[in-house]
Amino acid sequence: MTEKVLVFGHRNPDNDCISSAVAYCYLKNKLSGRKERYHFDEAGFEYIPARLGDMPAESEWVLKKNGFEAPVLISHVYPRVCDVMTEDPISVRLDTTMLEAGRLLRKHNIRSLVVEDEEGKFRGLISTRNIAERYVAATDEVDDDDYTDGDVAKSLEASLTQKVSELMSTDVYCMDKEAVLKDAIVELMASPLREGVALDDEGRAIGIVTRSDIATYGRRRVILVDHNETLQSAPGIETAQIMEIVDHHRIADVTTTEPIKFLGLPIGSTASIISLEFEKHRVSIPPRIAEVLLSAIMTDTLLLKSPTTTHADREQAEYLADIVGVDPLEFGREVFNVRGNDEDLPIDKLVAGDSKEYMLETDVILVCAHETVNLQAVKDREDEIRDYMDLLLQTKKYKFVLLMVTDIINEGSQFYCEGDRKAMNRVFDIQCKGEGGTWMPGIVSRKKQVAPKLLSYIK
C-alpha cells in the first residue's frame, strides 16, 4: 500500500501556505515516479495537500479556477486508528457455521472474523478464541459419571454446525477510524478481547485493530511548508515524522530525530522557493500550477512591494506570469480583489484570519495581519475589532494581541493592540494608547519588520 505524506502550512492558513502545499505535492508526486531520484524523493509515497484551517477567499478562487480541490482539512497529526488498522476485514454472516468460519480463519491465517447482519452492519467477532472455548466446553462431558468418549465426540461434532451467532463475542470495543490512537489504546488494553473494530457512520466494520498493531504503530509522515514552529503547526507535530521543511521564515523550534531536507531561503514567498525547485529538478510547470504559485507570490509580497521581496521573487513572478500569459501586477490586483469588501468581512476573519502565535520566554503573543486596499473601511470597524481582540486576549491568555492592518496602496500599517501595550510601545518606540490605533508608515511585513523586533526586545 502506498504510504501517504501530508504536506501543509501553518495554522490560520494564508494563500502562500495553501498554494505552496498544492504545488509542492504536484512536484513531489512527479519526482516519486522517476527512476533516478534523491534519497528524499523515494518511490512509494503519495503526497497529499492539507490545511490547518479555513481557506482564504483568494486560495479558494485560484484553486477552483484551475481545477484543484481544496486541501484536506486536518485537526492534528497524532497517529489515528486508521493509520494502524487492517482495512476491509474478512466477514461472515450470522448464520455461517463454525466449520465455515474455522476454514476461513485457517485459510487467511487470521485470528478473528467480523460477523455482520443481512444489512452488512457489525454484530460481533468470531475468533480462534471462541472456537477454542467451545472445544474446551465439550470436555465438560467428562464430569458426568456416565460419560463416554462418544459423548465428547458428539459434542465436538455438533459444534461444527453451530451458527457463529451462538458463539461470537459481542462485547467488542468499537471505535471511529479517525480517533486518536493513544486514546483508543487505553480502551483496547482494558477490553477482554485482543481486537477492536473500527466502524463507519452506518455501523459497518471497516477495520480491525489488534494489540500487536498498537505495539508497533509508526508516526504519520508530514512535510511542512511556510513554517517551522510548533506553535504554528498541527497539534501532535512532535509525534509526527517530519520528512522535509520548505520555508522562508526564521528557524524556530521544530526538531527531528533524523536528518531531513530543510530548504529555507530568506525571500518573499514560499511559493518562490517551490517554483525554483521545479526548475532545479527540471520539471515543467503546467499553467494551472503556475497560476497557483503566482497568486501566492503576489499576495505574500504585497504585489512585490514588501521589504521581504527579493530579486528571486520578481524573477519567478515574471517566469510564472509568462507561463500563464498574464501581467503579474494586474493578476495580483485581481487576486486581492477576490477577498471582497472589508465592510462585510466577518470580524473573526478580519482580525484573526491570518494570525500567528509567538513564544516569548514565559508568555505567548498573537500577531495578526490583514492587507487591504480600503483602510478606512477597516478603521470604521474599530469597536468590533477591539472587542474581538479582547475576546482572544481573555480566552487564550496572551500577553497582548497586535493587529497590523496593512494598506497596500499607501505602504504602511495601522496598529491596533489589546493587552500589554507598554511592551509593544517600547519595542516600536510609539505611544499607542488604544483608541484610534497608530499609523506605522513603511511597516508592511510581519515576518521581517514586526516579529523580529518583538522576539528580540520583549522579555
Side-chain angles (χ1 to χ4, degrees), residues 16-202:
D16 190 32
C17 74
I18 293 289
S19 298
S20 294
V22 170
Y24 201 52
C25 282
Y26 178 90
L27 173 62
K28 294 295 293 183
N29 284 322
K30 284 288 186 182
L31 293 176
S32 69
R34 287 183 172 178
K35 292 182 179 179
E36 296 180 3
R37 57 184 65 84
Y38 293 109
H39 69 280
F40 43 76
D41 291 322
E42 296 176 86
F45 294 129
E46 179 186 0
Y47 297 87
I48 309 294
R51 57 190 169 96
L52 304 182
D54 294 337
M55 291 267 286
E58 62 270 28
S59 300
E60 191 171 356
W61 172 78
V62 75
L63 292 183
K64 185 176 181 179
K65 181 173 183 284
N66 288 282
F68 291 104
E69 294 183 359
V72 60
L73 178 63
I74 60 173
S75 57
H76 64 81
V77 290
Y78 290 109
R80 304 159 300 170
V81 167
C82 60
D83 295 320
V84 301
M85 72 183 188
T86 300
E87 297 180 343
D88 302 321
I90 298 170
S91 62
V92 294
R93 293 297 175 90
L94 289 164
D95 59 355
T96 302
T97 66
M98 291 298 292
L99 177 60
E100 294 171 304
R103 285 172 174 170
L104 282 172
L105 288 168
R106 179 166 180 167
K107 176 182 177 181
H108 296 283
N109 192 29
I110 54 178
R111 291 198 300 260
S112 297
L113 298 169
V114 165
V115 181
E116 58 185 30
D117 61 21
E118 292 181 356
E119 297 179 350
K121 294 185 177 180
F122 175 72
R123 288 293 176 261
L125 285 178
I126 191 71
S127 67
T128 53
R129 178 181 177 181
N130 297 125
I131 296 174
E133 288 176 348
R134 174 62 182 86
Y135 274 48
V136 170
T139 62
D140 289 342
E141 302 287 345
V142 176
D143 294 332
D144 295 335
D145 293 336
D146 57 348
Y147 89 97
T148 67
D149 291 340
D151 292 329
V152 176
K154 287 178 182 179
S155 179
L156 292 174
E157 184 178 355
S159 72
L160 297 177
T161 59
Q162 278 188 278
K163 308 300 184 186
V164 295
S165 58
E166 300 174 33
L167 297 172
M168 67 183 186
S169 298
T170 56
D171 56 341
V172 181
Y173 173 52
C174 297
M175 62 198 92
D176 185 276
K177 71 172 185 176
E178 295 295 329
V180 176
L181 189 59
K182 66 178 181 180
D183 297 330
I185 287 174
V186 176
E187 297 292 339
L188 185 57
M189 295 304 291
S191 169
L193 303 179
R194 291 179 175 272
E195 298 88 7
V197 177
L199 303 180
D200 63 14
D201 293 337
E202 297 178 350

Side-chain angles (χ1 to χ4, degrees), residues 281-349:
H281 292 287
R282 297 184 178 90
V283 176
S284 60
I285 304 178
R288 66 190 193 121
I289 288 289
E291 187 163 327
V292 169
L293 287 170
L294 178 60
S295 75
I297 294 174
M298 299 312 289
T299 52
D300 228 39
T301 65
L302 303 179
L303 302 179
L304 304 177
K305 294 180 179 180
S306 170
T308 62
T309 308
T310 66
H311 175 70
D313 297 296
R314 296 186 182 91
E315 187 177 62
Q316 292 308 304
E318 291 289 346
Y319 171 61
L320 296 168
D322 186 58
I323 294 174
V324 179
V326 296
D327 177 270
L329 291 178
E330 288 182 6
F331 176 73
R333 283 189 284 268
E334 182 182 6
V335 174
F336 272 106
N337 288 334
V338 170
R339 293 184 175 182
N341 299 322
D342 287 324
E343 297 96 328
D344 305 320
L345 191 65
I347 196 62
D348 60 327
K349 300 295 183 186

